Amino acid sequence: MRDVSRLTRFAALLCASTTMVLGMVPLAACARPDSAGPELSTHQPDTTPSLGASVPPPASNPPTDTPPQPDLVPPPLDIPDLPVVSDEAAREEASRLAMLMKHNVKGFSTYTPERRKAFLTFAKDEVTQAGMPVSRPQLIMVVDRNEHIQHLDYVLALPDAPWESLGGTPVSTGTTGRKYYYITPTGVFQNTADRLGYRAEGTKNKYGIRGIGAKGSRVWDMGWQTAMKGWLPRHETGQIRLEIHATDPQFLEWRLGHPASEGCIRIPATMNKFMDHYGLIDALYEQAASYDPRFQALLPKDRQPTQIAGDLVVVIDSGPLTEPKIDPIADKRPLP
């Protein structure tokens, strides 16, 4: 009887121990930190907390006294205003520039009163039709593509006073009768900082011609424009990159004053240099050079920009026809 009682107490004790051990296994598994390795083996020391102990929460990032920094935003650009002078000061500056052109620009002319009037009238009409009002005294480059004229004139445009002609030089615009030659389009074109011009490298083609002038000559880029194909009598049009540049000073400059280009505006080398040095149509480029190193690199380091610099080029046609006459068999001629 005594043995049976002992056996009964031993069985009860064994059940209680088993229950305690089995009850602690889930607690140990839930309390183990995420960074712990795999489940403990039976050979590791038992580090399970007692049933009444509290389990600490997982570690978190400690607070910091430095608030999160927003993305760095560059400071706003400090773009200088375009220079504005009085009408009287603008006329004095225009006279000074005209005198300098007379002494430094080859082929410079102040034109007859009739020719000056035509330049002024056509230019003002084109600017008005283009909806580009003149808000400050500034220079405008006016080019007459009339095959009997082929000259440019620099005009002083004033907001509330009559415009004045300074004079200019011969040019060459697009010719007809040669395949892949376009007729220079008329209209108002802006020398905007949206496009970066460049300088000629002075390389020669297979005929020994430097097509856009001697090395270092400035090329003004007026953007893509629609132009009439000068070799097709059906008035078909296409896209050209309208540029203003010099021509070969040794072989082709004598052709200025006659249509000869592929659609661009060719000017004398001395006028190219003068425009570049005094920034006659570089008002927006000069402004951009204050914050964009590309424009600063393009403009001459020794430049003397005028206070009446502008940004407009106006191409007119003072001839009796609205467009040059195209040879009806031009498209059948072989390439030169």
Side-chain angles (χ1 to χ4, degrees):
M1 188 71 179
R2 183 178 300 172
D3 294 336
V4 172
S5 178
R6 288 177 180 175
L7 181 62
T8 301
R9 288 196 302 271
F10 177 77
L13 181 61
L14 180 62
C15 290
S17 301
T18 304
T19 302
M20 290 182 64
V21 172
L22 293 175
M24 287 190 296
V25 172
L27 179 61
C30 291
R32 185 172 61 242
D34 295 337
S35 59
E39 190 174 352
L40 296 176
S41 68
T42 57
H43 299 287
Q44 292 177 324
D46 186 6
T47 58
T48 303
S50 63
L51 291 176
S54 62
V55 179
S60 60
N61 292 328
T64 176
D65 295 334
T66 305
Q69 296 294 327
D71 294 337
L72 295 179
V73 178
L77 295 176
D78 184 15
I79 302 177
D81 295 331
L82 295 176
V84 179
V85 299
S86 65
D87 290 359
E88 181 180 0
R91 292 189 183 97
E92 292 179 358
E93 175 66 359
S95 298
R96 182 183 78 90
L97 292 173
M99 186 63 65
L100 289 172
M101 281 191 280
K102 181 179 179 180
H103 289 90
N104 295 283
V105 177
K106 182 180 179 180
F108 178 78
S109 173
T110 55
Y111 305 127
T112 64
E114 293 77 17
R115 180 50 48 201
R116 290 198 298 269
K117 182 179 179 180
F119 273 116
L120 295 172
T121 302
F122 278 92
K124 201 163 189 177
D125 289 345
E126 288 285 351
V127 171
T128 301
Q129 292 176 16
M132 303 181 73
V134 174
S135 59
R136 50 178 283 271
Q138 62 185 277
L139 294 176
I140 296 178
M141 180 181 178
V142 186
V143 176
D144 192 347
R145 75 173 189 185
N146 182 345
E147 61 181 342
H148 301 295
I149 303 299
Q150 290 286 295
H151 273 69
L152 71 84
D153 184 22
Y154 266 99
V155 168
L156 174 61
L158 301 170
D160 302 308
W163 293 10
E164 299 182 8
S165 167
L166 278 67
T169 63
V171 298
S172 284
T173 60
T175 188
T176 63
R178 299 181 67 179
K179 201 168 185 179
Y180 302 126
Y181 277 59
Y182 290 78
I183 299 171
T184 305
T186 60
V188 181
F189 310 98
Q190 189 176 29
N191 185 34
T192 172
D194 292 339
R195 301 177 302 271
L196 182 64
Y198 59 99
R199 295 189 177 276
E201 295 182 356
T203 54
K204 299 179 180 180
N205 63 14
K206 62 181 181 180
Y207 302 108
I209 301 298
R210 294 167 287 180
I212 55 177
K215 183 176 181 179
S217 297
R218 179 79 176 276
V219 179
W220 288 266
D221 183 357
M222 312 308 292
W224 289 104
Q225 306 297 337
T226 301
M228 188 178 300
K229 296 178 179 180
W231 70 97
L232 297 177
R234 296 180 182 178
H235 298 179
E236 295 182 19
T237 60
Q239 294 292 304
I240 66 168
R241 196 74 177 187
L242 182 60
E243 296 178 339
I244 303 169
H245 59 75
T247 187
D248 189 289
Q250 182 179 0
F251 299 108
L252 296 182
E253 193 155 309
W254 65 271
R255 299 179 65 181
L256 294 174
H258 306 277
S261 80
E262 298 177 7
C264 292
I265 301 170
R266 298 178 182 175
I267 59 177
T270 50
M271 175 58 84
N272 184 291
K273 183 177 181 180
F274 191 92
M275 289 172 56
D276 192 24
H277 183 74
Y278 292 99
L280 301 189
I281 59 172
D282 286 335
L284 298 181
Y285 266 47
E286 192 67 41
Q287 192 180 55
S290 67
Y291 61 85
D292 193 328
R294 299 176 304 161
F295 292 88
Q296 184 68 32
L298 176 68
L299 299 178
K301 292 187 180 353
D302 62 344
R303 64 188 183 279
Q304 299 178 20
T306 175
Q307 294 294 296
I308 57 173
D311 53 67
L312 299 181
V313 176
V314 181
V315 180
I316 65 173
D317 191 332
S318 63
L321 303 176
T322 57
E323 61 194 38
K325 182 179 178 181
I326 299 178
D327 189 335
I329 63 172
D331 60 333
K332 297 180 174 57
R333 289 200 179 98
L335 291 177

